[in-house]
Amino acid sequence: MLTFVGLGLYDEDSITREGAAAIAEADAVFAECYTSKLLGATVDDLESHHGVEIDVRDRAGVEQTPEPILDAATDGDAVFLTAGDTMIATTHVDLRLRAADRGIETRIVHGVTAQAAASSLTGLQNYRFGPATTLPFPDAHAVDGLPASVTNTVDENAERGLHTLVFLDIKAADDRYMSADRAASLLAGEYADRLGVAVARAGSPDPVVAADSIDALAARSFGEPLHLLVIPGALHSMEADALATFADAPEELLPSE
Amino acid sequence: MLTFVGLGLYDEDSITREGAAAIAEADAVFAECYTSKLLGATVDDLESHHGVEIDVRDRAGVEQTPEPILDAATDGDAVFLTAGDTMIATTHVDLRLRAADRGIETRIVHGVTAQAAASSLTGLQNYRFGPATTLPFPDAHAVDGLPASVTNTVDENAERGLHTLVFLDIKAADDRYMSADRAASLLAGEYADRLGVAVARAGSPDPVVAADSIDALAARSFGEPLHLLVIPGALHSMEADALATFADAPEELLPSE
């Protein structure tokens, strides 16, 4: 059996009780830290917290040589840990498909997602978000300015009045995390006067939620990673109230009642 | 302090360790079960599991007379429990705004959402979902046939190639939960030949994920609630593989390679 467990967003307490039980009962525990990782707990912290050894696999160790994981799941109960929920990255779906190909039963123990946290913390309603997009570091894509994947998503969502969650690039292997102010400075070329909401350390005990024009957000700073940015679409009055109350949104950027 | 805690999707083990700690440390614990509820644990189960008394508030007890909750949060640490993540329902945002109006500090401990589970369990990529919609019981809305809120969302998502998560109506106070087959029969008027994916008991130890034409799903049954339905948009090849492997999608309804 191969059980995929989502660790949630921040530290060793972000996991569900079901996930912790799966780790405790496992014969072998693996993790990947290249698509995302916890910022509030190291792998050592997780090992001592759960009283297990964790075999951290790099990208090649999951995508090219998954055999040790699949062998462990054939011989006994193996757990595969990822930050957030599992299956967010296609690499996890691929591993699950390989397991199924070998006749290994799989199971998923869900974790809290950044999407859920961004909606809850900002007060922007979940069902009013369009698809999310990811803003890459400028050195990670070929074109000057913003990639079309970002502007198309933001613009198409805005046309429908929908909010856009912008994931900020993570190079977890190099400990590089794009900050919300950096993201806002990149987005300012297209969206300088638009309302944006920076969300820092979602899922931690001290999240920061700050609403301002994209231009103004670019000049602020929000502390330790991970950061997210939301570009709201049309705002319902309770959403506007929440942004004013919990994110100090300037009145002139909110719809007048 | 008023701490909003999401219980996650299914039973007493669906909560995060952080959420369980917040309950253990609270001076008073409240819950609402009218927007959604856990199907795998009763309030009694939660009380005995966490060793606390839980004051279950009905809609009027949250929206019209929230004073006992706000008073407890003024005098000490109060926790307010909801199924899934918190803040999914506007009634929770409203309560948080009322607390802020009274100068009460608020905190959010996130829970796993049905959105995250629907994406992980089906293998449909998270960032390729458009906004979700809710299919109401026919006796709960005025028009014949499907409400425009449903068809507009499905159709606009489909135009962009996006998947749609369809939440199925819950009348938790009356223990009425729309089944995926019932939902499919309602949707068949518009979408009979389209691919649909039924997801039953997401977050439980025995979730069912079944892909078939909407028409065919209407003739099947998926056991105990809660159910969800997904109407996929354009499928990437790994998404198609996942639906074939984990949801037995008929080959003729998947894109040819």
Side-chain angles (χ1 to χ4, degrees), chain B residues 6-92:
Chain B
L7 292 168
L9 294 176
Y10 185 66
D11 68 9
E12 65 273 14
D13 288 326
S14 305
I15 195 170
T16 62
R17 295 170 81 113
E18 187 189 4
I23 294 174
E25 290 158 15
D27 300 305
V29 181
F30 302 88
E32 68 83 1
C33 304
Y34 58 87
T35 65
S36 184
K37 71 181 188 186
L38 300 183
L39 272 289
T42 63
V43 172
D44 283 351
D45 293 337
L46 292 175
E47 286 185 326
S48 69
H49 188 77
H50 293 288
V52 296
E53 275 184 47
I54 299 175
D55 180 356
V56 178
R57 312 287 295 175
D58 62 11
R59 188 180 290 274
V62 174
E63 298 180 0
Q64 269 118 62
T65 54
E67 288 73 20
I69 305 169
L70 299 174
D71 290 345
T74 304
D75 299 340
D77 287 331
V79 161
F80 186 78
L81 303 174
T82 61
D85 193 20
T86 186
M87 303 295 149
I88 294 282
T90 51
T91 184
H92 309 154

Side-chain angles (χ1 to χ4, degrees), chain A residues 13-18 20 49 85-86 88 96-97 110 115-116 120 125-127 129 131 156-157 160 246, chain B residues 13-18 20 49 85-86 88 90 96 115-117 120 125-127 131 156-157 160 245-246:
Chain A
D13 288 326
S14 305
I15 194 170
T16 62
R17 296 171 81 114
E18 187 189 3
H49 188 76
D85 193 19
T86 186
I88 295 283
R96 190 177 175 216
L97 284 166
H110 303 286
Q115 254 107 336
S120 283
Q125 287 297 296
N126 201 47
Y127 71 95
F129 277 78
E156 288 176 18
N157 284 340
R160 291 173 68 185
F246 302 117
Chain B
D13 288 326
S14 305
I15 195 170
T16 62
R17 295 170 81 113
E18 187 189 4
H49 188 77
D85 193 20
T86 186
I88 294 282
T90 51
R96 190 177 175 218
Q115 254 108 336
S120 283
Q125 288 296 296
N126 201 48
Y127 71 96
E156 289 176 16
N157 284 341
R160 292 172 68 185
T245 304
F246 302 117

Side-chain angles (χ1 to χ4, degrees), chain A residues 4 9 13-14 79 104 108 119 127-129 132 136 139 154 167 206-207 217 231 239:
Chain A
F4 293 84
L9 294 176
D13 288 326
S14 305
V79 161
I104 298 166
I108 296 175
S119 167
Y127 71 95
R128 305 191 65 243
F129 277 78
D139 59 9
V154 172
F167 287 107
D206 63 345
L217 290 176
I231 302 184
E239 294 178 313

Side-chain angles (χ1 to χ4, degrees), chain A residues 23-58:
Chain A
I23 294 174
E25 290 158 15
D27 299 305
V29 181
F30 301 89
E32 68 84 1
C33 304
Y34 58 87
T35 65
S36 183
K37 69 181 190 187
L38 300 183
L39 272 289
T42 64
V43 172
D44 283 351
D45 292 338
L46 292 175
E47 286 185 325
S48 68
H49 188 76
H50 292 289
V52 295
E53 275 184 47
I54 299 175
D55 180 355
V56 178
R57 313 287 297 175
D58 62 11

